[in-house]
Structures are given as structure tokens and as C-alpha cells.
Amino acid sequence: QVQLVESGGGVVQPGGSLRLSCAASGISFSIYTMDWYRQAPGKQRELVAQITDGGRTTYADFVKGRFTISMDDAKNTIILQMNSLTPEDTAAYYCHAGFISRNYWGQGTQVIVSS
């Protein structure tokens, strides 16, 4: 069975950092594309970063140079290191696994960036 569990969210001041983790089970990183999405209140869910087998990464323009997605194969975990956070980064962050028509989502972890 598939399970994605996010952790690491919290409250941080502008300019600060957070490290989000997505613990995955029932997912083969060699098959699935792993993503971090975020959704702010009243807004659509948007792709933040993506990583595929072989370590290929893709980032949304609004996080390039600030966020880094990585994969820990030993722990079957996806990491999102977030630096230089701004209030606009405030959102629920979701881990996602996708392969063709198969899509799995974590429960989300809340990130609040505020002075």
C-alpha cells in the first residue's frame, strides 16, 4: 500500500529556513516521479519542485535558487530544503507521487512565514 507522510512544517520568520520531509512507503522511486506541491488558502495547488529517477530535478520559477529537492534512497524519503522564505511561501505543502494515471498524496504539512 502507498503512504506518503510529510513532516517538518512550522512557523518561521521571513528569510528563515525549513526542511520538509516526505516519508514514502509502497513507492518505487525508480518508477514514480516525486513532487512537492503547495496550496495557499483560496489558491490552486501548484507544483514547487520535482525529482525523478537519476536525480533529475525541476523547480518552479518562484523557488529557484531558494529551494532544493533531494532524495534519500536508504530512507525512502524526499526532502525539500527551503531557504530565504518569504510570506508568499506560506501554504500547506504536499508530497506527491505520480506515474501515468496513478497519483498519491500526503496529508500535507503547514508552513507559515510571518514576522
CSV table of all heavy atoms in Angstrom, one decimal, residues 8-59:
chain,number,residue,atom,x,y,z
A,8,GLY,N,7.9,18.4,9.1
A,8,GLY,CA,8.9,19.5,9.1
A,8,GLY,C,8.3,20.9,9.0
A,8,GLY,O,9.0,21.8,9.0
A,9,GLY,N,7.0,21.0,8.8
A,9,GLY,CA,6.4,22.3,8.7
A,9,GLY,C,6.4,23.0,10.0
A,9,GLY,O,6.7,22.4,11.1
A,10,GLY,N,6.1,24.3,10.0
A,10,GLY,CA,6.1,25.1,11.2
A,10,GLY,C,6.0,26.6,10.8
A,10,GLY,O,5.7,27.0,9.7
A,11,VAL,N,6.3,27.4,11.8
A,11,VAL,CA,6.3,28.8,11.7
A,11,VAL,C,7.7,29.3,11.7
A,11,VAL,O,8.5,28.9,12.5
A,11,VAL,CB,5.5,29.5,12.8
A,11,VAL,CG1,5.5,31.0,12.7
A,11,VAL,CG2,4.1,29.0,12.9
A,12,VAL,N,8.0,30.2,10.7
A,12,VAL,CA,9.4,30.7,10.5
A,12,VAL,C,9.3,32.2,10.1
A,12,VAL,O,8.3,32.6,9.5
A,12,VAL,CB,10.2,29.9,9.5
A,12,VAL,CG1,9.5,30.0,8.1
A,12,VAL,CG2,11.6,30.3,9.5
A,13,GLN,N,10.3,32.9,10.5
A,13,GLN,CA,10.3,34.3,10.1
A,13,GLN,C,10.8,34.5,8.6
A,13,GLN,O,11.5,33.6,8.1
A,13,GLN,CB,11.3,35.1,11.0
A,13,GLN,CG,10.8,35.2,12.4
A,13,GLN,CD,11.7,36.1,13.3
A,13,GLN,OE1,12.9,36.2,13.0
A,13,GLN,NE2,11.2,36.7,14.3
A,14,PRO,N,10.4,35.6,8.0
A,14,PRO,CA,11.0,35.8,6.6
A,14,PRO,C,12.5,35.7,6.6
A,14,PRO,O,13.1,36.3,7.5
A,14,PRO,CB,10.5,37.2,6.3
A,14,PRO,CG,9.2,37.3,7.1
A,14,PRO,CD,9.5,36.6,8.4
A,15,GLY,N,13.0,35.1,5.6
A,15,GLY,CA,14.4,34.9,5.5
A,15,GLY,C,14.9,33.6,6.1
A,15,GLY,O,16.1,33.2,5.9
A,16,GLY,N,14.1,33.0,6.9
A,16,GLY,CA,14.4,31.7,7.5
A,16,GLY,C,14.3,30.5,6.6
A,16,GLY,O,14.1,30.6,5.4
A,17,SER,N,14.6,29.4,7.3
A,17,SER,CA,14.6,28.1,6.5
A,17,SER,C,13.8,27.0,7.2
A,17,SER,O,13.6,27.1,8.4
A,17,SER,CB,16.1,27.6,6.4
A,17,SER,OG,16.9,28.5,5.7
A,18,LEU,N,13.3,26.1,6.4
A,18,LEU,CA,12.7,24.9,6.9
A,18,LEU,C,13.1,23.7,6.0
A,18,LEU,O,13.4,23.9,4.9
A,18,LEU,CB,11.1,25.1,6.9
A,18,LEU,CG,10.5,25.9,8.0
A,18,LEU,CD1,9.0,26.0,7.7
A,18,LEU,CD2,10.7,25.3,9.4
A,19,ARG,N,13.1,22.6,6.6
A,19,ARG,CA,13.4,21.3,5.9
A,19,ARG,C,12.2,20.4,6.0
A,19,ARG,O,11.9,19.9,7.1
A,19,ARG,CB,14.6,20.7,6.5
A,19,ARG,CG,15.1,19.5,5.8
A,19,ARG,CD,16.4,18.9,6.4
A,19,ARG,NE,17.0,17.8,5.7
A,19,ARG,CZ,16.8,16.5,6.0
A,19,ARG,NH1,15.9,16.2,7.0
A,19,ARG,NH2,17.4,15.6,5.3
A,20,LEU,N,11.5,20.2,4.9
A,20,LEU,CA,10.4,19.3,4.9
A,20,LEU,C,10.8,17.9,4.5
A,20,LEU,O,11.7,17.7,3.6
A,20,LEU,CB,9.3,19.8,3.9
A,20,LEU,CG,8.8,21.2,4.1
A,20,LEU,CD1,7.7,21.5,3.1
A,20,LEU,CD2,8.4,21.5,5.5
A,21,SER,N,10.2,16.9,5.0
A,21,SER,CA,10.5,15.5,4.7
A,21,SER,C,9.2,14.8,4.3
A,21,SER,O,8.1,15.1,4.8
A,21,SER,CB,11.1,14.8,5.9
A,21,SER,OG,12.3,15.3,6.3
A,22,CYS,N,9.3,13.9,3.3
A,22,CYS,CA,8.2,13.1,2.9
A,22,CYS,C,8.7,11.6,3.0
A,22,CYS,O,9.5,11.2,2.2
A,22,CYS,CB,7.8,13.4,1.4
A,22,CYS,SG,6.6,12.3,0.7
A,23,ALA,N,8.1,10.9,3.9
A,23,ALA,CA,8.5,9.5,4.1
A,23,ALA,C,7.5,8.7,3.3
A,23,ALA,O,6.3,8.8,3.5
A,23,ALA,CB,8.4,9.1,5.6
A,24,ALA,N,8.1,8.0,2.3
A,24,ALA,CA,7.2,7.2,1.3
A,24,ALA,C,7.3,5.7,1.6
A,24,ALA,O,8.4,5.2,1.9
A,24,ALA,CB,7.7,7.5,-0.1
A,25,SER,N,6.2,5.1,1.5
A,25,SER,CA,6.1,3.6,1.5
A,25,SER,C,5.3,3.1,0.4
A,25,SER,O,4.3,3.8,0.0
A,25,SER,CB,5.6,3.1,2.9
A,25,SER,OG,4.3,3.6,3.1
A,26,GLY,N,5.6,2.0,-0.1
A,26,GLY,CA,4.8,1.4,-1.2
A,26,GLY,C,5.1,2.2,-2.6
A,26,GLY,O,4.3,2.0,-3.5
A,27,ILE,N,6.2,2.9,-2.6
A,27,ILE,CA,6.5,3.7,-3.8
A,27,ILE,C,7.9,3.4,-4.2
A,27,ILE,O,8.8,3.4,-3.4
A,27,ILE,CB,6.4,5.2,-3.5
A,27,ILE,CG1,4.9,5.6,-3.3
A,27,ILE,CG2,7.0,6.0,-4.7
A,27,ILE,CD1,4.1,5.5,-4.5
A,28,SER,N,8.1,3.1,-5.5
A,28,SER,CA,9.4,2.8,-6.0
A,28,SER,C,9.9,4.1,-6.7
A,28,SER,O,9.3,4.6,-7.7
A,28,SER,CB,9.4,1.7,-7.0
A,28,SER,OG,10.7,1.6,-7.7
A,29,PHE,N,11.0,4.7,-6.2
A,29,PHE,CA,11.5,5.9,-6.8
A,29,PHE,C,12.0,5.7,-8.2
A,29,PHE,O,12.2,6.7,-8.9
A,29,PHE,CB,12.6,6.5,-5.9
A,29,PHE,CG,12.1,7.1,-4.6
A,29,PHE,CD1,13.0,7.3,-3.6
A,29,PHE,CD2,10.8,7.4,-4.4
A,29,PHE,CE1,12.6,7.8,-2.4
A,29,PHE,CE2,10.3,7.9,-3.2
A,29,PHE,CZ,11.2,8.1,-2.2
A,30,SER,N,12.3,4.5,-8.6
A,30,SER,CA,12.7,4.2,-10.0
A,30,SER,C,11.5,4.3,-11.0
A,30,SER,O,11.8,4.3,-12.2
A,30,SER,CB,13.4,2.8,-10.0
A,30,SER,OG,12.4,1.8,-9.8
A,31,ILE,N,10.3,4.3,-10.5
A,31,ILE,CA,9.1,4.3,-11.3
A,31,ILE,C,8.4,5.6,-11.2
A,31,ILE,O,8.0,6.2,-12.2
A,31,ILE,CB,8.2,3.1,-11.0
A,31,ILE,CG1,8.9,1.8,-11.2
A,31,ILE,CG2,6.9,3.2,-11.7
A,31,ILE,CD1,8.1,0.6,-10.8
A,32,TYR,N,8.2,6.1,-10.0
A,32,TYR,CA,7.4,7.3,-9.7
A,32,TYR,C,8.2,8.6,-9.8
A,32,TYR,O,9.4,8.6,-9.3
A,32,TYR,CB,6.7,7.2,-8.4
A,32,TYR,CG,5.5,6.3,-8.4
A,32,TYR,CD1,5.7,4.9,-8.3
A,32,TYR,CD2,4.2,6.8,-8.5
A,32,TYR,CE1,4.6,4.0,-8.3
A,32,TYR,CE2,3.1,5.9,-8.5
A,32,TYR,CZ,3.3,4.6,-8.4
A,32,TYR,OH,2.2,3.7,-8.4
A,33,THR,N,7.6,9.6,-10.3
A,33,THR,CA,8.1,10.9,-10.1
A,33,THR,C,7.6,11.5,-8.8
A,33,THR,O,6.4,11.3,-8.5
A,33,THR,CB,7.6,11.8,-11.3
A,33,THR,OG1,8.2,11.4,-12.5
A,33,THR,CG2,8.1,13.3,-11.1
A,34,MET,N,8.5,12.0,-8.0
A,34,MET,CA,8.2,12.6,-6.7
A,34,MET,C,8.2,14.1,-6.8
A,34,MET,O,9.1,14.7,-7.4
A,34,MET,CB,9.2,12.1,-5.7
A,34,MET,CG,9.3,10.6,-5.6
A,34,MET,SD,7.7,9.8,-5.2
A,34,MET,CE,7.4,10.5,-3.6
A,35,ASP,N,7.2,14.7,-6.1
A,35,ASP,CA,7.0,16.1,-6.2
A,35,ASP,C,6.6,16.7,-4.9
A,35,ASP,O,6.1,16.0,-4.0
A,35,ASP,CB,5.8,16.4,-7.2
A,35,ASP,CG,5.8,15.7,-8.5
A,35,ASP,OD1,6.7,16.0,-9.3
A,35,ASP,OD2,5.0,14.8,-8.7
A,36,TRP,N,6.9,18.0,-4.7
A,36,TRP,CA,6.3,18.8,-3.7
A,36,TRP,C,5.4,19.8,-4.3
A,36,TRP,O,5.8,20.5,-5.2
A,36,TRP,CB,7.4,19.5,-2.9
A,36,TRP,CG,8.1,18.6,-1.9
A,36,TRP,CD1,9.3,18.0,-2.0
A,36,TRP,CD2,7.7,18.3,-0.6
A,36,TRP,NE1,9.6,17.3,-0.9
A,36,TRP,CE2,8.6,17.5,0.0
A,36,TRP,CE3,6.5,18.6,0.2
A,36,TRP,CZ2,8.5,17.0,1.3
A,36,TRP,CZ3,6.4,18.1,1.5
A,36,TRP,CH2,7.4,17.3,2.0
A,37,TYR,N,4.2,19.9,-3.8
A,37,TYR,CA,3.2,20.9,-4.2
A,37,TYR,C,2.9,21.7,-3.0
A,37,TYR,O,3.2,21.3,-1.9
A,37,TYR,CB,1.9,20.2,-4.7
A,37,TYR,CG,2.0,19.7,-6.1
A,37,TYR,CD1,2.6,18.5,-6.4
A,37,TYR,CD2,1.3,20.4,-7.1
A,37,TYR,CE1,2.6,18.0,-7.7
A,37,TYR,CE2,1.3,19.9,-8.4
A,37,TYR,CZ,2.0,18.7,-8.7
A,37,TYR,OH,1.9,18.1,-10.0
A,38,ARG,N,2.3,22.9,-3.2
A,38,ARG,CA,1.8,23.7,-2.1
A,38,ARG,C,0.5,24.3,-2.5
A,38,ARG,O,0.2,24.5,-3.7
A,38,ARG,CB,2.8,24.7,-1.7
A,38,ARG,CG,3.0,25.9,-2.7
A,38,ARG,CD,4.1,26.8,-2.3
A,38,ARG,NE,4.2,28.0,-3.1
A,38,ARG,CZ,5.2,28.9,-3.0
A,38,ARG,NH1,6.1,28.7,-2.1
A,38,ARG,NH2,5.2,30.0,-3.7
A,39,GLN,N,-0.3,24.6,-1.5
A,39,GLN,CA,-1.6,25.2,-1.7
A,39,GLN,C,-1.8,26.2,-0.6
A,39,GLN,O,-1.9,25.8,0.6
A,39,GLN,CB,-2.7,24.2,-1.8
A,39,GLN,CG,-4.0,24.8,-2.2
A,39,GLN,CD,-5.0,23.7,-2.5
A,39,GLN,OE1,-4.9,22.6,-2.0
A,39,GLN,NE2,-6.0,24.0,-3.3
A,40,ALA,N,-2.0,27.5,-1.0
A,40,ALA,CA,-2.3,28.5,0.0
A,40,ALA,C,-3.9,28.7,0.0
A,40,ALA,O,-4.5,28.3,-1.0
A,40,ALA,CB,-1.7,29.8,-0.4
A,41,PRO,N,-4.4,29.2,1.1
A,41,PRO,CA,-5.9,29.4,1.1
A,41,PRO,C,-6.4,30.2,0.0
A,41,PRO,O,-5.9,31.2,-0.4
A,41,PRO,CB,-6.1,30.1,2.5
A,41,PRO,CG,-4.9,29.7,3.3
A,41,PRO,CD,-3.7,29.6,2.3
A,42,GLY,N,-7.4,29.7,-0.7
A,42,GLY,CA,-8.1,30.4,-1.8
A,42,GLY,C,-7.3,30.3,-3.1
A,42,GLY,O,-7.7,30.9,-4.1
A,43,LYS,N,-6.2,29.5,-3.1
A,43,LYS,CA,-5.4,29.4,-4.3
A,43,LYS,C,-5.4,27.9,-4.8
A,43,LYS,O,-5.6,27.0,-4.0
A,43,LYS,CB,-4.0,29.9,-4.1
A,43,LYS,CG,-4.0,31.4,-3.8
A,43,LYS,CD,-2.5,31.9,-3.7
A,43,LYS,CE,-2.5,33.4,-3.4
A,43,LYS,NZ,-1.0,33.8,-3.2
A,44,GLN,N,-5.0,27.8,-6.1
A,44,GLN,CA,-4.8,26.4,-6.6
A,44,GLN,C,-3.6,25.8,-6.1
A,44,GLN,O,-2.6,26.5,-5.8
A,44,GLN,CB,-4.8,26.5,-8.1
A,44,GLN,CG,-6.1,26.7,-8.8
A,44,GLN,CD,-6.0,26.6,-10.3
A,44,GLN,OE1,-5.6,27.5,-11.0
A,44,GLN,NE2,-6.4,25.4,-10.8
A,45,ARG,N,-3.6,24.5,-6.0
A,45,ARG,CA,-2.4,23.8,-5.7
A,45,ARG,C,-1.4,23.9,-6.8
A,45,ARG,O,-1.7,23.8,-8.0
A,45,ARG,CB,-2.7,22.3,-5.4
A,45,ARG,CG,-1.5,21.5,-4.8
A,45,ARG,CD,-2.0,20.1,-4.3
A,45,ARG,NE,-3.0,20.3,-3.3
A,45,ARG,CZ,-3.5,19.2,-2.6
A,45,ARG,NH1,-3.1,18.0,-2.9
A,45,ARG,NH2,-4.4,19.5,-1.6
A,46,GLU,N,-0.1,24.2,-6.5
A,46,GLU,CA,0.9,24.4,-7.5
A,46,GLU,C,2.1,23.6,-7.2
A,46,GLU,O,2.5,23.3,-6.1
A,46,GLU,CB,1.3,25.9,-7.6
A,46,GLU,CG,1.8,26.5,-6.3
A,46,GLU,CD,2.0,28.0,-6.3
A,46,GLU,OE1,1.9,28.6,-7.4
A,46,GLU,OE2,2.4,28.6,-5.3
A,47,LEU,N,2.8,23.2,-8.3
A,47,LEU,CA,4.0,22.4,-8.2
A,47,LEU,C,5.2,23.3,-7.8
A,47,LEU,O,5.4,24.4,-8.3
A,47,LEU,CB,4.3,21.8,-9.6
A,47,LEU,CG,5.6,21.0,-9.7
A,47,LEU,CD1,5.5,19.7,-8.8
A,47,LEU,CD2,5.9,20.6,-11.1
A,48,VAL,N,5.9,22.8,-6.8
A,48,VAL,CA,7.0,23.5,-6.2
A,48,VAL,C,8.3,23.0,-6.8
A,48,VAL,O,9.2,23.7,-7.3
A,48,VAL,CB,7.0,23.5,-4.7
A,48,VAL,CG1,8.3,24.1,-4.1
A,48,VAL,CG2,5.8,24.2,-4.1
A,49,ALA,N,8.5,21.7,-6.7
A,49,ALA,CA,9.7,21.0,-7.1
A,49,ALA,C,9.4,19.6,-7.5
A,49,ALA,O,8.5,19.0,-7.0
A,49,ALA,CB,10.8,21.1,-6.0
A,50,GLN,N,10.3,19.0,-8.3
A,50,GLN,CA,10.1,17.6,-8.8
A,50,GLN,C,11.4,16.9,-8.9
A,50,GLN,O,12.4,17.6,-9.3
A,50,GLN,CB,9.4,17.7,-10.1
A,50,GLN,CG,9.1,16.3,-10.8
A,50,GLN,CD,8.4,16.5,-12.1
A,50,GLN,OE1,9.0,16.7,-13.1
A,50,GLN,NE2,7.0,16.5,-12.0
A,51,ILE,N,11.4,15.7,-8.6
A,51,ILE,CA,12.6,14.9,-8.7
A,51,ILE,C,12.3,13.5,-9.3
A,51,ILE,O,11.2,12.9,-9.0
A,51,ILE,CB,13.4,14.7,-7.4
A,51,ILE,CG1,14.8,14.1,-7.6
A,51,ILE,CG2,12.6,13.9,-6.4
A,51,ILE,CD1,15.7,14.2,-6.4
A,52,THR,N,13.1,13.0,-10.3
A,52,THR,CA,12.9,11.8,-10.9
A,52,THR,C,14.0,10.8,-10.7
A,52,THR,O,15.1,11.2,-10.2
A,52,THR,CB,12.6,12.0,-12.4
A,52,THR,OG1,13.8,12.6,-13.0
A,52,THR,CG2,11.4,12.9,-12.7
A,53,ASP,N,13.9,9.6,-11.1
A,53,ASP,CA,14.9,8.6,-11.1
A,53,ASP,C,16.2,9.2,-11.8
A,53,ASP,O,16.1,9.7,-12.9
A,53,ASP,CB,14.5,7.3,-11.7
A,53,ASP,CG,15.5,6.2,-11.5
A,53,ASP,OD1,16.1,6.1,-10.4
A,53,ASP,OD2,15.7,5.4,-12.4
A,54,GLY,N,17.3,9.0,-11.1
A,54,GLY,CA,18.5,9.6,-11.6
A,54,GLY,C,18.9,11.0,-11.1
A,54,GLY,O,19.9,11.5,-11.4
A,55,GLY,N,17.9,11.5,-10.3
A,55,GLY,CA,18.2,12.7,-9.6
A,55,GLY,C,17.9,14.0,-10.4
A,55,GLY,O,18.3,15.1,-10.1
A,56,ARG,N,17.2,13.8,-11.5
A,56,ARG,CA,16.8,15.0,-12.3
A,56,ARG,C,15.8,15.8,-11.5
A,56,ARG,O,14.8,15.3,-11.0
A,56,ARG,CB,16.2,14.6,-13.6
A,56,ARG,CG,17.1,13.8,-14.5
A,56,ARG,CD,16.5,13.5,-15.9
A,56,ARG,NE,15.3,12.7,-15.8
A,56,ARG,CZ,15.2,11.4,-15.7
A,56,ARG,NH1,16.3,10.7,-15.7
A,56,ARG,NH2,14.0,10.8,-15.6
A,57,THR,N,16.0,17.1,-11.4
A,57,THR,CA,15.2,18.0,-10.6
A,57,THR,C,14.6,19.1,-11.5
A,57,THR,O,15.2,19.6,-12.5
A,57,THR,CB,16.0,18.6,-9.5
A,57,THR,OG1,17.1,19.3,-10.0
A,57,THR,CG2,16.4,17.5,-8.5
A,58,THR,N,13.4,19.6,-11.1
A,58,THR,CA,12.8,20.7,-11.7
A,58,THR,C,12.2,21.6,-10.6
A,58,THR,O,11.7,21.0,-9.6
A,58,THR,CB,11.6,20.2,-12.7
A,58,THR,OG1,12.2,19.3,-13.7
A,58,THR,CG2,11.0,21.4,-13.4
A,59,TYR,N,12.2,22.9,-10.8
A,59,TYR,CA,11.8,23.8,-9.8
A,59,TYR,C,10.8,24.8,-10.5
A,59,TYR,O,11.1,25.3,-11.6
A,59,TYR,CB,12.9,24.5,-9.1
A,59,TYR,CG,13.8,23.6,-8.4
A,59,TYR,CD1,15.0,23.1,-9.0
A,59,TYR,CD2,13.5,23.3,-7.1
A,59,TYR,CE1,15.8,22.3,-8.3
A,59,TYR,CE2,14.4,22.4,-6.4
A,59,TYR,CZ,15.5,22.0,-7.0
A,59,TYR,OH,16.4,21.1,-6.3
